[in-house]
Amino acid sequence: MSMPKTYDFASTEERLYLWWEKNGWFKPECRPADAEPFVISIPPPNVTGELHMGHAMFVALEDLMIRHARMRGKAALWVPGTDHAGIATQLQVEKMLRASGTSRQEIGREEFLDATWEWKDKYGGRIVRQLRGLGASCDWDRQRFTMDDGLSEAVLEAFVRLYRMGLIYRGERLVNWSPGLQTAVSDLEVEYSDEEALLYYFTYPIDGGGGIPVATTRPETILGDTAVAVHPEDERYGQYIGRMARVPILNREIPVIADAYVDREFGTGALKITPGHDHNDFEIGQRHGLPLVNVMNKDATMNEQAGPYAGLTREDCRGRLWADMEAAGLTLKTEPYVRQTPRSQRGGEIIEPLLSKQWFVDVEPMAKMALEAVRSGRIRIVPERFGKVWENWLTQIRPWCISRQLWWGHRIPVYYVNGDEAQLVVARTEEEAYALARQRYGEEVVLEQDPDVLDTWFSSALWPFSTLGWPAETPDLRRYFPTDVLETGYDILFFWVARMAMTSLLFMNDIPFHTIYLHGLVRDEHGRKMSKTLGNVVDPLEVVAEYGTDALRFTLLTGGTPGNDLNLALSKVESNRNFANKIWNIARFVSRSIERVSPADRPAAPDYSTADQWILARLTETVASVNRLFDSYLYGEAGRQINDFLWGDFADWYVETAKVQLGEGGGRAWTTLSVLRYVLDQALRLLHPYIPYVTEETWQQLKAAFQEAGLGIAPNEGWAEALIIADWPRTTALDLPAAADFELLRELVRSIRNARAESGVVPGRKISAIIAGPGADRLAPMKPVLAFLAGLDEERLTFAAGAAAPENCLTLSLGEVTGYLPLAGMVDLDQERERLREELADTSAQIERVSGLLAGPFAQKAPPPVVQKERERLVRLEASRDELAGRLAALEA
RNA sequence: GGGCGCUUAGCUCAGCCGGUUAGAGCACUUCGCUUACAACGAAGGGGUCGGGGGUUCGAGUCCCUCAGCGCCCACCA
């Protein structure tokens, strides 16, 4: 059994993944039937999407949670799946059709859907393979797709129920229309960007003389104006209220109305009202009973209502109309203006508020429940501050437009009777629809299903329960619902998370998860959003290929804090790749050390050295701290602490010390090896949820090596079959009285190393030392360790509490102990005096500070342990000062 | 117009319940291939924790305020 010098993730990852999966460890059934479940529903990626850092982030976090729960003995279930992503997928397929010289309109609905399913089958597996590559321990047998049979049934069920509850209705409303996609989109799918534009000023002529100046950013909407509004108390225009104005060019007659919505301070203080093309104007129009005039077609060209401008694009119309108005002497001026331009989240084209007939969900009753769930603490949001965002959005929520004029998606289960849209039935299936229709409208009915499909988010809103079988009462639904944690990026809190909470509370009468954990966006090294145009996109697959999955995962998990964006630096990924290698090499050392111990060395009772006690105590502290941090979802900090422990304490100090202890042979060596094994084993367990591959591989190597050796060194529980299902560490109460002495040793070693370096002692040269002071006796048992770590000559290393300083030595004063280093011929006495003076000054300053502290109110008001710590510090400082002063006096004499 | 976040070493970030002259990685300087690891080790330099005020025995950590940067929500033409 030999481990190569460098950890080779490339030959490890896939092998382990397949092995874990083959053994059923990704399934909750690998735990006893009475085990407590722990469930996460995956945020389903777009079925034909490509892996990006956001995916890597959620996989890292959710897999961490799942693996942790699994190791704690829970029936951990991570339900995987993909989303049909209506608009995104349809766009991709349409693009493909265009490339092959056809279009969806040309091939028709049925053939288009066939093509899309084909596309899905062809590319749908890719994202899943990529998720697997990141180590996601999902139960792939339970994988779902938003358009598979079961989930489609759930969608129908949900729609029908909502409709029958009166929460779904159809209405002609001003919706956000995407002219290129030719579909409505929801409010959430519109993004506003500040863009340079012009504000056009012109005069509305009033019948009977005079005029009202108004301003607009979109002159083409003038053609749809149905009123001019002024503030009721505006003296400038009061005379015109109730009179008639004339729409430029069209000469249509419209009223001048008064509405307090108008801001007298802004622009001209008067407002043109276009209820058919502006959301605010729509509301004003409703208040005043104004007619709606729609001047545009679905493709955002002007329609017959635009008179002479019919057929023009909205942009062309704007130019032509303005030119005509200028010619007619109606214009006043234009000025530069920054406009909040509504753009489609998908295509980026300008969204047109357009009058159209759509289906809506009245989400208010559900929103109330979702609000209450968070307010009452039934659902907890991490980080907490997002609770406020939740509150704001849900309290001012508006109806959700759920119909999309697309083909790829769940078709709306509404059937119109005999071509009359006023007569309709809503049913789960066509048969059911016919039955209903016949009942209501007679035997001779012909039904036609609504051509529209549902918003993609409608199906994902049901995800936590639809994936478990709902509406069927399946065993999975009973056992695994509600799920536990919903982990995702804060950017889809409204799109997805809030809607899941709403539908679950309505249909399941329960919360869908008790905790919402939100992570931030992954940005580039300098905090810029990753974008193709900027060319700063970091591809997770490339990172994984170069540094390994573990390195990327650990970077994402420890590089930031919950809910905050993370700037990804490759230099960090590289150091974390090195961390994996460090782990590997520690294990390599421990494995190799086995041959230095024989079963006969086993002591009757364990006798832990100071170093053993120290590392065991540090392990206990680390485990306790990690568990506490995990309880608060502070995975980043926990990961950093494990890293510090393993590298900074275990590798840098204990492993080095172990080299000496192993050399002593006998029971000492045996115990040392058992401590090495135990601590490494526990650390690997703590790290497994973060970096599953290197930990499992290392653990298996260790296990094999120890089993082969038959040393009788093993944890009480024995070895589990695999780390992935091994027990999560628990804190143990051990009596470790000497643990603190090792800290003293570390201090002394560091101090000696420093002195050596500053005096230019060549590394290989062993020097002599005298260790004095009250702590000397406690360090004496560690003589060989001290000698090894500090490069001392063991023959010329002595411990004596009252030892006097020899001639020509350096003095290292630590308070409890003092080290004298007689560096024959190398001590520059002037330099040493200077150094001692500096240290003395520094020490005295500290004494002044601490004694001042202890003399003040601090001693009474601070908690006793804190005061005690300062008292002890003062004692050490004073001892140090006396020592330094003494030495200085001696040298100055 | 509301709300939120960030501002700590040259860079990227930690610092969780306030505890006493601030930590990591990278970069930098010096030294070392010592039989786990040069994807490493040892030593070192580097920060008035954005500004101001307050609470407290004690503040990077809590409160107020100002500034800069970023994000979200919102109906100012």
Side-chain angles (χ1 to χ4, degrees):
Chain A
M1 171 71 56
S2 80
M3 297 170 71
K5 269 176 93 159
T6 306
Y7 169 62
D8 178 20
F9 60 84
S11 71
T12 305
E13 297 185 355
E14 194 181 4
R15 169 168 50 81
L16 285 180
Y17 191 87
L18 293 173
W19 179 65
W20 286 326
E21 189 181 27
K22 187 186 69 181
N23 281 286
W25 293 323
F26 293 170
K27 304 179 72 64
E29 288 81 11
C30 75
R31 295 301 188 197
D34 61 348
E36 190 187 337
F38 178 85
V39 186
I40 293 180
S41 309
I42 204 169
N46 291 0
V47 67
T48 62
E50 263 183 83
L51 196 76
H52 54 66
M53 278 298 169
H55 296 122
M57 180 61 116
F58 88 64
V59 167
L61 274 162
E62 291 167 35
D63 199 41
L64 164 76
M65 296 181 199
I66 284 286
R67 285 178 189 266
H68 174 236
R70 188 182 293 125
M71 290 178 80
R72 293 200 325 171
K74 298 202 176 185
L77 170 60
W78 188 6
V79 184
T82 49
D83 190 286
H84 66 280
I87 294 179
T89 307
Q90 177 158 332
L91 279 176
Q92 284 184 32
V93 176
E94 286 196 57
K95 196 169 152 197
M96 176 199 73
L97 291 177
R98 255 200 312 285
S100 53
T102 181
S103 70
R104 83 176 150 109
Q105 286 79 7
E106 202 170 313
I107 63 174
R109 185 164 191 148
E110 217 158 299
E111 205 174 314
F112 176 79
L113 287 178
D114 287 345
T116 309
W117 276 104
E118 233 171 86
W119 178 274
K120 181 256 172 191
D121 290 338
K122 189 167 167 193
Y123 297 106
R126 189 180 49 182
I127 189 84
V128 171
R129 279 193 301 278
Q130 291 170 336
L131 294 178
R132 292 168 59 96
L134 294 172
S137 59
C138 300
D139 182 357
W140 296 104
D141 293 338
R142 286 181 164 91
Q143 186 181 335
R144 303 308 296 265
F145 173 55
T146 45
M147 275 177 65
D148 67 25
D149 291 346
L151 269 67
S152 299
E153 199 184 313
V155 165
L156 293 173
E157 181 71 23
F159 188 98
V160 170
R161 286 205 203 175
L162 283 169
Y163 181 79
R164 295 193 178 152
M165 283 185 250
L167 294 176
I168 280 187
Y169 59 90
R170 193 174 193 223
E172 180 143 36
R173 299 291 167 89
L174 208 52
V175 298
N176 302 300
W177 185 262
S178 177
L181 299 171
Q182 296 273 308
T183 181
V185 295
S186 74
D187 297 343
L188 284 174
E189 289 162 290
V190 182
E191 287 168 351
Y192 293 86
S193 66
D194 285 347
E195 292 176 24
E196 299 284 335
L198 288 176
L199 192 53
Y200 299 80
Y201 289 82
F202 67 98
T203 305
Y204 245 108
I206 306 295
D207 284 355
I212 301 177
V214 294
T216 180
T217 55
R218 308 189 55 212
E220 67 274 21
T221 64
I222 292 169
L223 301 170
D225 284 353
T226 54
V228 175
V230 298
H231 194 275
E233 284 150 33
D234 194 328
E235 291 166 7
R236 290 171 294 179
Y237 310 123
Q239 50 176 315
Y240 298 126
I241 296 170
R243 289 166 66 180
M244 288 296 177
R246 292 281 169 174
V247 174
I249 311 299
L250 298 182
N251 229 23
R252 187 153 46 76
E253 196 175 59
I254 59 174
V256 176
I257 60 170
D259 195 292
Y261 166 80
V262 180
D263 182 351
R264 276 173 286 180
E265 310 298 317
F266 189 88
T268 64
L271 195 55
K272 64 189 263 320
I273 305 296
T274 323
H277 294 278
D278 183 283
H279 290 103
N280 303 319
D281 293 2
F282 181 85
E283 283 177 25
I284 295 173
Q286 297 280 298
R287 278 203 290 278
H288 295 269
L290 297 175
L292 284 163
V293 175
N294 178 12
V295 295
M296 281 184 213
N297 297 306
K298 301 281 187 200
D299 61 357
T301 58
M302 308 309 291
N303 66 17
E304 67 285 357
Q305 293 285 348
Y309 305 95
L312 295 176
T313 65
R314 49 187 166 174
E315 292 80 12
D316 289 344
C317 173
R318 177 180 305 179
R320 294 272 281 278
L321 173 60
W322 191 252
D324 292 347
M325 284 170 61
E326 272 181 326
L330 292 170
T331 63
L332 293 171
K333 61 173 178 179
T334 62
E335 62 183 32
Y337 186 73
V338 176
R339 175 179 172 235
Q340 296 242 301
T341 308
R343 286 187 179 276
S344 156
Q345 191 199 32
R346 276 291 152 201
E349 59 174 336
I350 296 180
I351 290 292
E352 192 63 46
L354 204 68
L355 208 55
S356 103
K357 220 175 220 183
Q358 303 288 345
W359 287 93
F360 296 88
V361 178
D362 174 10
V363 284
E364 234 184 279
M366 288 186 276
K368 284 210 170 71
M369 293 191 276
L371 271 172
E372 182 52 29
V374 169
R375 281 179 190 155
S376 69
R378 286 174 74 204
I379 295 180
R380 171 185 175 194
I381 303 181
V382 180
E384 225 173 306
R385 63 186 147 89
F386 284 101
K388 217 164 188 170
V389 182
W390 182 271
E391 182 82 22
N392 282 342
W393 191 69
L394 286 169
T395 44
Q396 46 163 52
I397 197 162
R398 287 184 303 178
W400 174 17
C401 175
I402 51 168
S403 45
R404 296 288 179 277
Q405 288 64 52
L406 304 172
W407 287 350
W408 178 242
H410 300 98
R411 194 147 167 194
I412 293 180
V414 171
Y415 300 82
Y416 301 106
V417 181
N418 300 331
D420 178 3
E421 292 201 343
Q423 298 187 331
L424 57 83
V425 289
V426 173
R428 294 170 185 82
T429 63
E430 205 173 340
E431 294 76 61
E432 198 191 323
Y434 266 105
L436 268 173
R438 291 197 180 103
Q439 236 175 53
R440 273 185 233 160
Y441 303 103
E443 286 303 311
E444 297 296 307
V445 290
V446 177
L447 296 186
E448 204 173 319
Q449 187 172 1
D450 192 301
D452 292 351
V453 300
L454 290 164
D455 181 4
T456 294
W457 296 103
F458 189 91
S459 55
S460 18
L462 314 172
W463 190 250
F465 43 98
S466 65
T467 53
L468 292 173
W470 189 85
E473 266 279 335
T474 61
D476 266 11
L477 189 64
R478 270 196 297 277
R479 175 149 167 77
Y480 300 114
F481 190 88
T483 69
D484 287 84
V485 179
L486 188 285
E487 194 289 323
T488 193
Y490 62 70
D491 53 328
I492 54 173
L493 185 62
F494 307 141
F495 279 105
W496 190 43
V497 186
R499 286 167 177 169
M500 283 189 288
M502 294 194 286
T503 62
S504 177
L505 286 160
L506 187 72
F507 295 128
M508 304 300 293
N509 198 24
D510 201 350
I511 53 171
F513 27 73
H514 58 68
T515 300
I516 297 167
Y517 178 102
L518 298 168
H519 66 250
L521 267 50
V522 183
R523 298 171 171 277
D524 82 355
E525 194 166 355
H526 300 289
R528 294 171 306 180
K529 200 166 177 172
M530 287 188 191
S531 79
K532 280 182 186 158
T533 46
L534 266 176
N536 62 344
V537 176
V538 184
D539 181 351
L541 296 172
E542 284 172 22
V543 175
V544 162
E546 189 171 355
Y547 301 103
T549 300
D550 289 335
L552 176 61
R553 288 176 53 139
F554 203 68
T555 304
L556 294 174
L557 290 168
T558 59
T561 42
N564 287 330
D565 292 353
L566 177 141
N567 297 351
L568 182 69
L570 283 181
S571 63
K572 282 221 166 125
V573 182
E574 188 178 347
S575 3
N576 288 327
R577 187 261 328 250
N578 297 350
F579 179 48
N581 194 52
K582 186 77 183 181
I583 293 168
W584 178 256
N585 274 289
I586 294 169
R588 195 160 163 256
F589 170 78
V590 176
S591 294
R592 277 198 191 179
S593 302
I594 291 174
E595 63 191 37
R596 304 175 69 172
V597 176
S598 80
D601 294 330
R602 183 174 191 167
D607 168 28
Y608 293 123
S609 73
T610 302
D612 297 341
Q613 295 189 35
W614 173 76
I615 198 66
L616 290 169
R618 284 288 302 121
L619 174 68
T620 304
E621 282 169 25
T622 305
V623 170
S625 181
V626 166
N627 283 333
R628 186 181 57 81
L629 291 165
F630 267 45
D631 288 341
S632 309
Y633 297 90
L634 295 172
Y635 299 116
E637 181 61 17
R640 287 185 288 268
Q641 287 191 12
I642 307 168
N643 183 332
D644 287 349
F645 169 73
L646 194 58
W647 200 322
D649 292 337
F650 189 62
D652 289 348
W653 291 94
Y654 187 73
V655 166
E656 291 307 307
T657 302
K659 289 174 182 172
V660 175
Q661 296 189 166
L662 286 166
E664 289 177 27
R668 168 97 310 136
W670 193 96
T671 304
T672 301
L673 184 62
S674 76
V675 172
L676 280 169
R677 194 216 61 80
Y678 175 71
V679 176
L680 178 56
D681 167 82
Q682 294 289 301
L684 290 175
R685 290 173 197 243
L686 292 177
L687 282 169
H688 183 258
Y690 292 85
I691 44 177
Y693 291 119
V694 69
T695 49
E696 180 75 81
E697 181 66 1
T698 299
W699 199 78
Q700 293 296 341
Q701 295 277 358
L702 265 187
K703 178 182 167 182
F706 274 88
Q707 284 183 335
E708 196 179 317
L711 290 169
I713 293 174
N716 297 331
E717 65 181 53
W719 293 90
E721 194 177 351
L723 183 57
I724 188 175
I725 49 161
D727 287 344
W728 183 252
R730 275 183 287 269
T731 48
T732 44
L734 285 171
D735 185 30
L736 304 165
D741 292 341
F742 196 75
E743 296 288 358
L744 186 58
L745 177 99
R746 293 209 303 161
E747 243 185 288
L748 181 60
V749 168
R750 272 195 284 252
S751 176
I752 296 173
R753 283 172 175 171
N754 173 303
R756 289 177 58 116
E758 295 205 332
S759 314
V761 178
V762 294
R765 187 171 154 209
K766 302 223 182 282
I767 59 174
S768 63
I770 296 161
I771 309 302
D777 294 342
R778 282 182 283 139
L779 294 183
M782 284 186 277
K783 183 176 181 181
V785 173
L786 177 60
F788 178 73
L789 294 178
L792 305 175
D793 179 358
E794 213 177 320
E795 304 289 307
R796 293 182 294 144
L797 170 59
T798 59
F799 295 83
E807 292 289 311
N808 273 359
C809 72
L810 292 184
T811 303
L812 308 172
S813 175
L814 305 176
E816 279 180 272
V817 288
T818 302
Y820 298 116
L821 305 183
L823 293 171
M826 297 199 64
V827 179
D828 178 330
L829 287 181
D830 284 337
Q831 223 177 342
E832 174 65 358
R833 271 190 287 268
E834 186 49 37
R835 197 181 64 83
L836 289 173
R837 268 193 286 272
E838 276 172 23
E839 278 216 14
L840 183 57
D842 184 56
T843 307
S844 303
Q846 285 193 57
I847 287 173
E848 208 169 315
R849 189 180 59 79
V850 178
S851 49
L853 194 62
L854 289 167
F858 171 81
Q860 279 76 47
K861 298 234 179 175
V866 176
V867 178
Q868 185 56 24
K869 216 169 116 192
E870 291 307 313
R871 292 229 164 86
E872 283 162 12
R873 181 202 299 268
L874 186 60
V875 170
R876 279 199 304 278
L877 286 169
E878 283 170 346
S880 187
R881 177 195 57 194
D882 295 347
E883 175 65 33
L884 290 166
R887 283 300 297 154
L888 195 54
L891 289 179
E892 278 170 343

